[in-house]
Amino acid sequence: MPGSGYHKIIYFIINLALILGLGWGVLGYAAAVADAPRVPAASPSQAYQAVVVTVPGKYRKGVFRDRRQLRVPLGVQISVFAAGLGQARFMALSPAGDIYLSVPSAGRVLVLPDRNKDGVADRVVVFADGLDRPHGLVFRGKELVVAENARLTRLLDTDNDLRADSRTTLSKDLPGGGGHSTRTVVQGPDGRLYVAAGSSCNACIEEDPRRAAVMRFPAQGGKGEIYARGLRNTVGLAFHPVTGELWGVDNGRDMLGDDVPPEELNRIIAGADYGWPYCFGAAVPDPDLGTQQRCAPTRPPTVAMQAHSAPLGIAFGQGLAFPERYRQALLVAFHGSWNRSKPTGYKLIGIPFAAGKPQGKPFDIINGWLNEGNAWGRPVDPLVGADGALYLSDDSAGAVYRITWEGAPPRP
C-alpha cells in the first residue's frame, strides 16, 4: 500500500510518546503516594445473617429492654458483656485478663472482671474516679496509663482489689479543651508513649502545634515531642503486632458535603505531615485554606474510607478465635455520622492486612445499630480479649458487647 512505510514511522513515534508519557506519569504518581495501597483486590464473598443480641437478665433494661438484632457474618454471635456503663469509650486488657473501660463523662475508669468465665462481667468496679475526661488506656505491666484531657496519669492497684491506690502524673504536656477533647495513648515497641490529640476546631490554623498531632513521650513521662502532624482528629491508634509500625484512623472535616473529605487510615511516620487543615485525602487542597503548593509534600492516606463515618477505636485481630480473615484484619469501629444528609457508619468493619500492609477492600463485620435512619447504638472501641473473643464498647447504649465465632473451628 502506498505510504505504508511513512504510516509505520508515524505510528511508531506516537506509540513511543504514549509509552514515555505513561511511564513518567506512573513515576510521578508513585513518588507522590509512595505508601499508597495497591489496587484493592476483591474481598472473599461472605454470607451474613441477622442475629438477636443475647442479653443477660440483669441487663434487660434501657436500650436492651427491647429485642435487638445485628447483622453479622455466618458463624458470629453477639451478647452483652456489661451494660448500664454510661459513656463507654476506650478499653484495655490487664495482664490478669480483666477489661478496663474509660467513661470520660463520669471521670472514671471501670473494671469488668469475668472470673467465672461465663462471658458476662461478674460486676462493675470503679477502678478510679475524679479524673479529667479519661479516654485512652494502656497497660505497662501492672501499671495503667490513662490519657486524660490535658495530662497522662499512671494508676496502680498495689493490693489487687481492682481499685487504684496509687496515682502519679506522668506528664502535663498535653493540650486541654477544644473541639476535640479525647486523648488516645498507646505504648510503642520502643517503650515510649504515643498520644493523639485532635484539633480545637473544624478547619482552622492551630496556634498550638500539639493539636491535630501525635506526640511521643519518654517512657517515664515528662515533656513530649511532635511525632506527626496534620492529623485533624486521629482517635484510634495501634501498633502492628509484627512490623511494629504505628497506624491511626483520622476523622476528616465537616461542612463540605456528604462524601468529602474521606475518612483516613494512615501509617503514622515520624516527621510526616498529613495535611490538615490545608488539604485532605491525596493532597486535595481544602477549599477554605489550601493550595496545591502547600499540599504537594503532604502524605496521603493509605486507605480512604466513606466520609463522615467517624472511625474511632481500632485493633489488629491477632489473637482472635476467629477465621484467618479476621485475625489478619485491622478492626475499625465506625461511630457514625452527624454531618450527612443520609446517615452512615454505625458499624464495625475490617481492613484486610497482609505482610504488614492493607491489602484489599474494607468489609463489614457487624452492622445494624442504624435502622431506617435511627441509631440505637454507636460502636466505639474493639478489643481482643484473653479468651479470643472480640469485645466492643458502645457509648450510646452504654454497653460492652462480647462477640464470638460459633461456626466451624478456625484454622490454626
Side-chain angles (χ1 to χ4, degrees), residues 140-268:
R140 302 191 299 180
K142 291 186 177 181
E143 298 178 348
L144 179 65
V145 177
V146 181
E148 298 183 68
N149 181 37
R151 67 187 175 210
L152 291 175
T153 300
R154 180 177 61 207
L155 303 176
L156 185 61
D157 172 14
T158 60
D159 55 6
N160 299 314
D161 66 349
L162 298 182
R163 290 176 172 82
D165 43 39
S166 172
R167 185 178 302 194
T168 305
T169 298
L170 294 178
S171 178
K172 293 184 178 180
D173 190 18
L174 287 178
H180 298 113
S181 61
T182 62
R183 308 289 176 258
T184 307
V185 59
V186 291
Q187 184 178 24
D190 57 3
R192 289 183 279 188
L193 296 169
Y194 294 74
V195 181
S199 65
S200 64
C201 60
N202 177 41
C204 66
I205 298 173
E206 296 282 6
E207 294 182 2
D208 188 338
R210 301 173 301 173
R211 300 211 70 119
V214 171
M215 297 182 68
R216 181 170 62 185
F217 292 82
Q220 69 273 19
K223 187 172 178 59
E225 60 180 342
I226 304 299
Y227 184 75
R229 60 195 175 96
L231 296 161
R232 178 179 176 271
N233 189 27
T234 291
V235 183
L237 292 174
F239 281 93
H240 191 278
V242 177
T243 68
E245 294 175 333
L246 181 59
W247 294 84
V249 284
D250 197 49
N251 289 244
R253 65 161 293 183
D254 301 311
M255 308 305 178
L256 291 182
D258 279 1
D259 299 310
V260 177
E263 310 288 37
E264 300 181 356
L265 171 65
N266 294 300
R267 184 162 77 89
I268 300 178

Side-chain angles (χ1 to χ4, degrees), residues 306-322:
Q306 171 61 51
H308 308 303
S309 297
L312 295 186
I314 63 176
F316 286 98
Q318 187 180 62
L320 284 176
F322 279 60

Side-chain angles (χ1 to χ4, degrees), residues 17-388:
L18 287 172
I19 291 169
L20 288 173
L22 180 60
W24 284 114
V26 170
L27 288 173
Y29 181 79
V33 291
D35 198 44
R38 299 176 186 175
V39 176
S43 299
S45 60
Q46 173 69 61
Y48 289 80
Q49 64 177 351
V51 298
V52 175
V53 178
T54 301
V55 183
K58 62 182 177 180
Y59 296 135
R60 289 177 189 164
K61 51 190 173 182
V63 72
F64 296 112
R65 190 185 304 276
D66 298 327
R67 182 174 179 266
R68 297 297 180 183
Q69 287 192 138
L70 292 168
R71 187 169 176 267
V72 302
L74 290 175
V76 170
Q77 296 295 323
I78 302 181
S79 60
V80 172
F81 179 69
L85 305 173
Q87 187 192 25
R89 292 289 288 190
F90 269 45
M91 298 183 288
L93 190 67
S94 77
D98 294 325
I99 292 175
Y100 285 62
L101 172 74
S102 67
V103 186
S105 59
R108 289 178 169 178
V109 173
L110 305 177
V111 193
L112 309 173
D114 178 17
R115 299 300 168 80
N116 62 4
K117 309 298 183 185
D118 66 350
V120 181
D122 304 329
R123 55 198 173 114
V124 177
V125 182
V126 177
F127 180 68
D129 60 8
L131 300 168
D132 181 15
R133 296 192 61 79
H135 192 255
L137 309 173
V138 64
F139 270 96
R140 302 191 299 180
K142 291 186 177 181
E143 298 178 348
L144 179 65
V145 177
V146 181
E148 298 183 68
N149 181 37
R151 67 187 175 210
L152 291 175
T153 300
R154 180 177 61 207
L155 303 176
L156 185 61
D157 172 14
T158 60
D159 55 6
N160 299 314
D161 66 349
L162 298 182
R163 290 176 172 82
D165 43 39
S166 172
R167 185 178 302 194
T168 305
T169 298
L170 294 178
S171 178
K172 293 184 178 180
D173 190 18
L174 287 178
H180 298 113
S181 61
T182 62
R183 308 289 176 258
T184 307
V185 59
V186 291
Q187 184 178 24
D190 57 3
R192 289 183 279 188
L193 296 169
Y194 294 74
V195 181
S199 65
S200 64
C201 60
N202 177 41
C204 66
I205 298 173
E206 296 282 6
E207 294 182 2
D208 188 338
R210 301 173 301 173
R211 300 211 70 119
V214 171
M215 297 182 68
R216 181 170 62 185
F217 292 82
Q220 69 273 19
K223 187 172 178 59
E225 60 180 342
I226 304 299
Y227 184 75
R229 60 195 175 96
L231 296 161
R232 178 179 176 271
N233 189 27
T234 291
V235 183
L237 292 174
F239 281 93
H240 191 278
V242 177
T243 68
E245 294 175 333
L246 181 59
W247 294 84
V249 284
D250 197 49
N251 289 244
R253 65 161 293 183
D254 301 311
M255 308 305 178
L256 291 182
D258 279 1
D259 299 310
V260 177
E263 310 288 37
E264 300 181 356
L265 171 65
N266 294 300
R267 184 162 77 89
I268 300 178
I269 299 171
D273 177 3
Y274 294 83
W276 186 88
Y278 306 101
C279 31
F280 52 77
V284 177
D286 183 283
D288 297 328
L289 296 166
T291 64
Q292 291 286 356
Q293 183 178 9
R294 173 62 182 82
C295 293
T298 62
R299 191 173 184 85
T302 305
V303 176
M305 299 175 287
Q306 171 61 51
H308 308 303
S309 297
L312 295 186
I314 63 176
F316 286 98
Q318 187 180 62
L320 284 176
F322 279 60
E324 184 178 5
R325 185 187 193 200
Y326 304 93
R327 299 197 309 270
Q328 296 299 322
L330 176 68
L331 313 175
V332 182
F334 280 172
H335 196 229
S337 60
W338 68 268
N339 177 230
R340 198 169 192 272
S341 61
K342 183 177 180 180
T344 190
Y346 304 93
K347 60 185 178 180
L348 180 72
I349 71 162
I351 298 176
F353 264 65
K357 303 292 183 185
Q359 301 285 344
K361 296 179 180 178
F363 61 95
D364 283 8
I365 299 177
I366 307 171
N367 60 42
W369 286 280
L370 179 69
N371 290 318
E372 298 179 352
N374 297 311
W376 62 266
R378 303 188 78 182
V380 176
D381 189 35
L383 174 74
V384 177
D387 57 355

